[in-house]
Amino acid sequence: MAIETSSCWSCGDMRAAHFCHACGKVQPPAPVDYFAFFGMPRKLNVDVASLEREFYELSRKLHPDLNARADKREQEWSLEQSSLLNDAYRTLKDPIKRTQYLLGLEGVELEEQSKSATEKARAAGEVKKQIVPPDLLEEVFELNIQLEEARMNKKMGEDDPALLRDLEGHKAAFEQKYEALSQELKGHWDEWDQAVDTENQQERRRALDGMVDLLNRRSYIRNLVRDVNEALGN
Ligand SMILES: [Zn+2]
C-alpha cells in the first residue's frame, strides 16, 4: 500500500501506516477507508478476534497520553489517529455496521429507514412508506388487522386475551425471522468476498443487491416488532 511506503517524518525510516516501526512516532493520518486503515482488503468475512488484537495494539501505539511529551503536531496526529481507529474498529467489528459501511463505500444508497426518519413520520401521523417484503405479505396483512383491533380495544378499555396471545405469537415468529437473517447475510458476504477475489463485476453487483434487500427486510421486521410491542404495551 502506498501509505506504507512513505517515510517517517521524524527519523526518515520507512514507516508503517500509522506509526513508525523504527522510532515509534505517530504519523500524519492518511485519508483511507476503515478497511484500509487496518490494512484489510474490502471484504466482509472478518476475523474479529484478530481485528480486536490489532485494535488494542494500535490503541497503545497511537494513544495521545503516550505522546504527551511529543511535539504539538504529533499530539494532534495522535488524537486524530486514535479517533479514526475507534471509529474504524466500532464499525468493522459489528456485522451490520460493517455491511452498511461497505455498501456506502460502494456507492449504494440504502433506503432511508433509519430510526429518526421513522420516528419523524410517526410524529407527523404518517405511515412511513415501506415496501412489504413479498414473503411477509400475508403475515403482515393479518398482523395489521390485529394491531388495529388491539388499538381499538385499548381505546375502548376492552380486553381480548386471545388477540394478545396471537400478537405475541406473531412477534415471536418475526423475531425468529430476524435472527435467521444473520445466517442469510453470511451467504451474501461469501458471495461478495469471492467476487472481490475473482474481480467479477456482475457477481459484485449481485452480492450488493442481495445485501441491500436483506438490510431493508431487516429494518422492516424490526419496525413490525416495535409496532407489536407498542400494541402489547411493552
Ligand atoms: Zn521514525
Side-chain angles (χ1 to χ4, degrees):
M1 248 185 308
I3 51 168
E4 291 191 31
T5 56
S6 44
S7 49
C8 172
W9 60 270
S10 179
C11 73
D13 201 90
M14 295 302 270
R15 65 176 173 92
H18 311 299
F19 64 94
C20 174
H21 277 318
C23 72
K25 294 277 189 201
V26 174
Q27 306 294 312
V32 292
D33 67 62
Y34 293 162
F35 290 95
F37 186 91
F38 279 103
M40 286 159 44
R42 209 179 270 189
K43 289 185 183 177
L44 288 168
N45 283 294
V46 165
D47 179 352
V48 176
S50 88
L51 178 72
E52 189 183 20
R53 275 195 302 277
E54 184 78 359
F55 167 72
Y56 285 118
E57 170 87 18
L58 282 172
S59 292
R60 278 194 297 275
K61 307 266 197 210
L62 300 175
H63 202 284
D65 288 353
L66 261 188
N67 300 290
R69 285 160 305 174
D71 73 29
K72 205 161 171 291
R73 264 183 328 172
E74 198 192 354
Q75 180 71 19
E76 267 165 35
W77 291 334
S78 176
L79 283 167
E80 283 173 43
Q81 293 262 34
S82 293
S83 117
L84 193 56
L85 171 68
N86 285 321
D87 290 344
Y89 177 61
R90 257 198 298 271
T91 303
L92 293 185
K93 78 169 174 183
D94 180 272
I96 300 298
K97 289 200 184 112
R98 184 193 313 148
T99 307
Q100 287 169 331
Y101 182 70
L102 177 98
L103 289 172
L105 285 180
E106 295 296 322
V108 176
E109 296 263 350
L110 277 172
E111 199 180 320
E112 182 48 71
Q113 290 180 334
S114 67
K115 208 162 161 266
S116 65
T118 307
E119 274 163 7
K120 209 169 121 195
R122 286 160 67 85
E126 297 162 11
V127 178
K128 198 163 160 293
K129 291 262 184 299
Q130 279 193 319
I131 300 156
V132 184
D135 59 321
L136 296 178
L137 261 176
E138 211 172 316
E139 236 173 322
V140 168
F141 182 74
E142 197 190 328
L143 178 72
N144 280 331
I145 294 173
Q146 293 184 334
L147 282 175
E148 197 46 48
E149 269 178 46
R151 287 184 195 116
M152 285 302 282
N153 286 347
K154 216 177 198 171
K155 222 182 262 173
M156 315 294 279
E158 281 167 15
D159 247 359
D160 186 348
L163 177 65
L164 296 184
R165 266 199 306 278
D166 262 8
L167 283 173
E168 288 283 3
H170 276 300
K171 188 182 141 190
F174 285 128
E175 279 169 343
Q176 210 168 12
K177 281 201 165 80
Y178 192 79
E179 291 304 316
L181 289 178
S182 305
Q183 203 48 43
E184 199 186 323
L185 181 59
K186 180 79 173 54
H188 293 302
W189 286 359
D190 293 344
E191 199 181 10
W192 168 260
D193 289 358
Q194 205 176 353
V196 169
D197 286 337
T198 57
E199 293 173 26
N200 184 327
Q201 290 309 315
Q202 219 174 333
E203 294 292 319
R204 280 170 72 110
R205 192 67 242 171
R206 187 158 55 196
L208 292 176
D209 288 346
M211 288 187 272
V212 170
D213 177 60
L214 186 143
L215 290 179
N216 283 335
R217 267 186 295 148
R218 186 176 179 276
S219 94
Y220 188 87
I221 293 175
R222 192 185 50 211
N223 288 344
L224 283 180
V225 170
R226 189 208 48 215
D227 287 349
V228 176
N229 275 334
E230 270 181 20
L232 291 172
N234 290 352

